[in-house]
Short mmCIF file of all heavy atoms in Angstrom, two decimals:
data_model
loop_
_atom_site.label_atom_id
_atom_site.label_comp_id
_atom_site.label_asym_id
_atom_site.label_seq_id
_atom_site.Cartn_x
_atom_site.Cartn_y
_atom_site.Cartn_z
N LEU A 635 -35.20 135.66 88.13
CA LEU A 635 -36.46 136.05 87.51
C LEU A 635 -37.62 135.29 88.15
O LEU A 635 -37.57 134.06 88.26
CB LEU A 635 -36.41 135.77 86.00
CG LEU A 635 -37.69 136.06 85.20
CD1 LEU A 635 -38.04 137.54 85.26
CD2 LEU A 635 -37.51 135.61 83.76
N GLY A 636 -38.65 136.02 88.55
CA GLY A 636 -39.85 135.41 89.09
C GLY A 636 -41.00 135.53 88.11
O GLY A 636 -41.06 136.49 87.32
N LEU A 637 -41.91 134.58 88.14
CA LEU A 637 -43.10 134.60 87.30
C LEU A 637 -44.31 134.40 88.20
O LEU A 637 -44.36 133.45 88.99
CB LEU A 637 -43.05 133.48 86.25
CG LEU A 637 -44.29 133.31 85.36
CD1 LEU A 637 -44.50 134.54 84.47
CD2 LEU A 637 -44.19 132.05 84.51
N LEU A 639 -48.57 134.20 88.14
CA LEU A 639 -49.70 133.99 87.23
C LEU A 639 -51.01 134.03 88.00
O LEU A 639 -51.20 133.28 88.97
CB LEU A 639 -49.55 132.65 86.51
CG LEU A 639 -48.30 132.54 85.63
CD1 LEU A 639 -47.49 131.33 86.02
CD2 LEU A 639 -48.65 132.47 84.17
N ALA A 649 -52.57 133.92 79.58
CA ALA A 649 -51.21 133.66 80.06
C ALA A 649 -50.51 132.64 79.18
O ALA A 649 -49.30 132.73 78.95
CB ALA A 649 -51.25 133.18 81.51
N ALA A 650 -51.24 131.65 78.68
CA ALA A 650 -50.64 130.65 77.80
C ALA A 650 -50.11 131.30 76.53
O ALA A 650 -49.05 130.93 76.01
CB ALA A 650 -51.65 129.56 77.46
N GLY A 651 -50.84 132.30 76.01
CA GLY A 651 -50.37 133.02 74.83
C GLY A 651 -49.12 133.84 75.12
O GLY A 651 -48.19 133.89 74.31
N VAL A 652 -49.11 134.50 76.28
CA VAL A 652 -47.91 135.25 76.68
C VAL A 652 -46.72 134.30 76.82
O VAL A 652 -45.61 134.60 76.37
CB VAL A 652 -48.15 136.01 78.00
CG1 VAL A 652 -46.86 136.67 78.48
CG2 VAL A 652 -49.25 137.06 77.83
N MET A 653 -46.95 133.15 77.43
CA MET A 653 -45.86 132.17 77.62
C MET A 653 -45.37 131.64 76.28
O MET A 653 -44.17 131.39 76.10
CB MET A 653 -46.35 131.04 78.51
CG MET A 653 -46.54 131.45 79.97
SD MET A 653 -47.45 130.22 80.95
CE MET A 653 -46.44 128.75 80.72
N ARG A 654 -46.26 131.48 75.33
CA ARG A 654 -45.82 131.02 73.99
C ARG A 654 -44.86 132.04 73.38
O ARG A 654 -43.84 131.66 72.78
CB ARG A 654 -47.04 130.82 73.09
CG ARG A 654 -46.69 130.47 71.65
CD ARG A 654 -47.85 129.84 70.91
NE ARG A 654 -48.99 130.73 70.77
CZ ARG A 654 -49.24 131.49 69.70
NH1 ARG A 654 -48.40 131.48 68.68
NH2 ARG A 654 -50.33 132.24 69.65
N PHE A 655 -45.17 133.32 73.54
CA PHE A 655 -44.25 134.34 73.03
C PHE A 655 -42.94 134.32 73.81
O PHE A 655 -41.85 134.34 73.23
CB PHE A 655 -44.88 135.73 73.12
CG PHE A 655 -43.91 136.83 72.77
CD1 PHE A 655 -43.58 137.07 71.45
CD2 PHE A 655 -43.31 137.60 73.77
CE1 PHE A 655 -42.66 138.07 71.12
CE2 PHE A 655 -42.40 138.58 73.47
CZ PHE A 655 -42.06 138.82 72.14
N MET A 656 -43.02 134.28 75.14
CA MET A 656 -41.84 134.39 75.99
C MET A 656 -40.87 133.23 75.79
O MET A 656 -39.65 133.43 75.75
CB MET A 656 -42.26 134.42 77.46
CG MET A 656 -42.99 135.67 77.89
SD MET A 656 -41.92 137.12 77.99
CE MET A 656 -40.74 136.61 79.23
N TYR A 657 -41.39 132.01 75.64
CA TYR A 657 -40.54 130.83 75.67
C TYR A 657 -40.32 130.17 74.32
O TYR A 657 -39.44 129.31 74.19
CB TYR A 657 -41.10 129.81 76.67
CG TYR A 657 -41.31 130.41 78.04
CD1 TYR A 657 -42.50 130.22 78.73
CD2 TYR A 657 -40.34 131.21 78.64
CE1 TYR A 657 -42.72 130.78 79.99
CE2 TYR A 657 -40.54 131.79 79.89
CZ TYR A 657 -41.73 131.57 80.55
OH TYR A 657 -41.94 132.14 81.78
N LEU A 658 -41.10 130.56 73.31
CA LEU A 658 -40.92 129.96 71.99
C LEU A 658 -40.50 130.97 70.93
O LEU A 658 -39.74 130.65 70.02
CB LEU A 658 -42.22 129.27 71.53
CG LEU A 658 -42.74 128.14 72.42
CD1 LEU A 658 -44.00 127.53 71.81
CD2 LEU A 658 -41.68 127.07 72.63
N ASP A 659 -40.98 132.22 71.05
CA ASP A 659 -40.71 133.22 70.02
C ASP A 659 -39.56 134.15 70.42
O ASP A 659 -38.63 134.37 69.66
CB ASP A 659 -41.98 134.03 69.75
CG ASP A 659 -41.89 134.84 68.46
OD1 ASP A 659 -42.11 134.25 67.39
OD2 ASP A 659 -41.60 136.05 68.54
N LEU A 660 -39.64 134.71 71.62
CA LEU A 660 -38.63 135.67 72.07
C LEU A 660 -37.21 135.10 72.10
O LEU A 660 -36.25 135.84 71.82
CB LEU A 660 -39.02 136.21 73.45
CG LEU A 660 -38.19 137.37 74.00
CD1 LEU A 660 -38.27 138.58 73.08
CD2 LEU A 660 -38.65 137.75 75.40
N PRO A 661 -37.00 133.82 72.44
CA PRO A 661 -35.63 133.28 72.44
C PRO A 661 -34.92 133.39 71.10
O PRO A 661 -33.67 133.40 71.06
CB PRO A 661 -35.83 131.81 72.84
CG PRO A 661 -37.08 131.82 73.66
CD PRO A 661 -37.96 132.84 73.01
N LYS A 662 -35.66 133.49 70.01
CA LYS A 662 -35.04 133.65 68.69
C LYS A 662 -34.26 134.96 68.63
O LYS A 662 -33.25 135.06 67.93
CB LYS A 662 -36.10 133.60 67.60
CG LYS A 662 -36.87 132.28 67.53
CD LYS A 662 -38.04 132.38 66.57
CE LYS A 662 -38.90 131.11 66.62
NZ LYS A 662 -40.12 131.23 65.77
N TRP A 666 -31.39 132.99 74.11
CA TRP A 666 -31.55 132.16 75.31
C TRP A 666 -33.01 132.23 75.72
O TRP A 666 -33.77 133.11 75.30
CB TRP A 666 -30.65 132.63 76.45
CG TRP A 666 -30.70 134.11 76.74
CD1 TRP A 666 -30.05 135.10 76.08
CD2 TRP A 666 -31.48 134.75 77.75
NE1 TRP A 666 -30.35 136.33 76.60
CE2 TRP A 666 -31.23 136.15 77.65
CE3 TRP A 666 -32.35 134.31 78.75
CZ2 TRP A 666 -31.82 137.09 78.48
CZ3 TRP A 666 -32.94 135.25 79.59
CH2 TRP A 666 -32.67 136.62 79.45
N VAL A 667 -33.44 131.26 76.52
CA VAL A 667 -34.84 131.18 76.94
C VAL A 667 -34.98 131.80 78.34
O VAL A 667 -34.30 131.36 79.27
CB VAL A 667 -35.34 129.72 76.97
CG1 VAL A 667 -36.83 129.69 77.30
CG2 VAL A 667 -35.08 129.03 75.64
N PRO A 668 -35.82 132.80 78.51
CA PRO A 668 -35.95 133.48 79.81
C PRO A 668 -36.82 132.70 80.80
O PRO A 668 -37.84 133.19 81.29
CB PRO A 668 -36.58 134.83 79.45
CG PRO A 668 -37.42 134.54 78.25
CD PRO A 668 -36.65 133.48 77.47
N TRP A 669 -36.39 131.45 81.09
CA TRP A 669 -37.15 130.65 82.05
C TRP A 669 -37.13 131.31 83.42
O TRP A 669 -36.11 131.86 83.84
CB TRP A 669 -36.57 129.24 82.17
CG TRP A 669 -36.67 128.38 80.96
CD1 TRP A 669 -35.63 127.87 80.23
CD2 TRP A 669 -37.86 127.91 80.32
NE1 TRP A 669 -36.10 127.11 79.19
CE2 TRP A 669 -37.47 127.11 79.21
CE3 TRP A 669 -39.22 128.08 80.57
CZ2 TRP A 669 -38.38 126.49 78.37
CZ3 TRP A 669 -40.13 127.47 79.73
CH2 TRP A 669 -39.72 126.68 78.64
N PRO A 670 -38.22 131.24 84.17
CA PRO A 670 -38.24 131.81 85.51
C PRO A 670 -37.49 130.94 86.51
O PRO A 670 -37.46 129.72 86.39
CB PRO A 670 -39.74 131.87 85.85
CG PRO A 670 -40.34 130.75 85.05
CD PRO A 670 -39.54 130.68 83.78
N VAL A 673 -41.60 130.37 90.38
CA VAL A 673 -42.93 130.47 89.78
C VAL A 673 -43.98 130.41 90.89
O VAL A 673 -43.91 129.57 91.78
CB VAL A 673 -43.19 129.33 88.77
CG1 VAL A 673 -44.59 129.45 88.17
CG2 VAL A 673 -42.14 129.36 87.67
N ASN A 682 -50.98 126.77 84.48
CA ASN A 682 -50.04 127.30 83.50
C ASN A 682 -48.62 127.35 84.07
O ASN A 682 -47.64 127.10 83.37
CB ASN A 682 -50.47 128.70 83.05
CG ASN A 682 -51.71 128.69 82.18
OD1 ASN A 682 -51.97 127.74 81.45
ND2 ASN A 682 -52.50 129.75 82.24
N PHE A 685 -46.11 124.46 83.66
CA PHE A 685 -45.42 124.34 82.38
C PHE A 685 -44.20 125.26 82.33
O PHE A 685 -43.19 124.92 81.71
CB PHE A 685 -46.39 124.64 81.25
CG PHE A 685 -47.43 123.57 81.04
CD1 PHE A 685 -48.53 123.49 81.87
CD2 PHE A 685 -47.29 122.63 80.04
CE1 PHE A 685 -49.50 122.50 81.70
CE2 PHE A 685 -48.25 121.63 79.85
CZ PHE A 685 -49.35 121.57 80.69
N ALA A 686 -44.31 126.44 82.97
CA ALA A 686 -43.15 127.34 83.02
C ALA A 686 -42.08 126.79 83.96
O ALA A 686 -40.89 126.82 83.65
CB ALA A 686 -43.59 128.73 83.48
N ALA A 687 -42.50 126.27 85.12
CA ALA A 687 -41.55 125.72 86.09
C ALA A 687 -40.87 124.47 85.55
O ALA A 687 -39.74 124.16 85.92
CB ALA A 687 -42.26 125.42 87.40
N ARG A 689 -39.81 124.04 82.59
CA ARG A 689 -38.74 124.48 81.68
C ARG A 689 -38.63 123.59 80.44
O ARG A 689 -37.54 123.15 80.07
CB ARG A 689 -37.40 124.54 82.41
CG ARG A 689 -37.32 125.64 83.45
CD ARG A 689 -35.93 125.80 84.00
NE ARG A 689 -35.78 127.08 84.70
CZ ARG A 689 -34.66 127.78 84.75
NH1 ARG A 689 -33.58 127.33 84.14
NH2 ARG A 689 -34.60 128.90 85.42
N SER A 690 -39.76 123.34 79.81
CA SER A 690 -39.78 122.51 78.61
C SER A 690 -40.51 123.26 77.50
O SER A 690 -41.71 123.51 77.62
CB SER A 690 -40.49 121.18 78.90
OG SER A 690 -40.78 120.50 77.69
N ALA A 691 -39.78 123.62 76.45
CA ALA A 691 -40.40 124.33 75.33
C ALA A 691 -41.47 123.47 74.66
O ALA A 691 -42.52 123.98 74.25
CB ALA A 691 -39.33 124.73 74.31
N GLU A 692 -41.22 122.18 74.57
CA GLU A 692 -42.20 121.27 73.96
C GLU A 692 -43.50 121.28 74.77
O GLU A 692 -44.59 121.26 74.18
CB GLU A 692 -41.64 119.86 73.87
CG GLU A 692 -40.48 119.69 72.91
CD GLU A 692 -39.16 120.18 73.47
OE1 GLU A 692 -39.10 120.46 74.68
OE2 GLU A 692 -38.20 120.30 72.69
N VAL A 694 -44.61 123.74 76.71
CA VAL A 694 -45.27 125.04 76.54
C VAL A 694 -46.03 125.07 75.22
O VAL A 694 -47.15 125.59 75.14
CB VAL A 694 -44.23 126.19 76.60
CG1 VAL A 694 -44.86 127.51 76.18
CG2 VAL A 694 -43.67 126.30 78.02
N GLU A 695 -45.42 124.52 74.19
CA GLU A 695 -46.11 124.44 72.90
C GLU A 695 -47.36 123.58 73.01
O GLU A 695 -48.42 123.91 72.45
CB GLU A 695 -45.17 123.88 71.84
CG GLU A 695 -45.75 123.89 70.43
CD GLU A 695 -44.75 123.45 69.39
OE1 GLU A 695 -43.69 122.87 69.77
OE2 GLU A 695 -45.00 123.67 68.19
N LEU A 850 -42.05 139.06 86.57
CA LEU A 850 -43.03 139.22 85.50
C LEU A 850 -44.37 138.72 86.01
O LEU A 850 -44.48 137.58 86.46
CB LEU A 850 -42.60 138.40 84.27
CG LEU A 850 -43.57 138.40 83.09
CD1 LEU A 850 -43.66 139.78 82.47
CD2 LEU A 850 -43.13 137.37 82.05
N ILE A 852 -48.43 138.07 85.10
CA ILE A 852 -49.39 137.91 83.99
C ILE A 852 -50.78 137.82 84.59
O ILE A 852 -51.09 136.89 85.35
CB ILE A 852 -49.10 136.67 83.14
CG1 ILE A 852 -47.63 136.66 82.68
CG2 ILE A 852 -50.04 136.62 81.94
CD1 ILE A 852 -47.24 135.45 81.86
#
Side-chain angles (χ1 to χ4, degrees):
L635 177 63
L637 176 65
L639 298 125
V652 174
M653 289 168 57
R654 175 162 63 96
F655 173 76
M656 292 288 299
Y657 306 133
L658 300 182
D659 195 81
L660 188 60
K662 299 171 186 175
W666 49 278
V667 185
W669 294 118
V673 179
N682 289 330
F685 290 79
R689 291 188 164 213
S690 167
E692 292 78 12
V694 170
E695 186 175 14
L850 177 67
I852 308 179

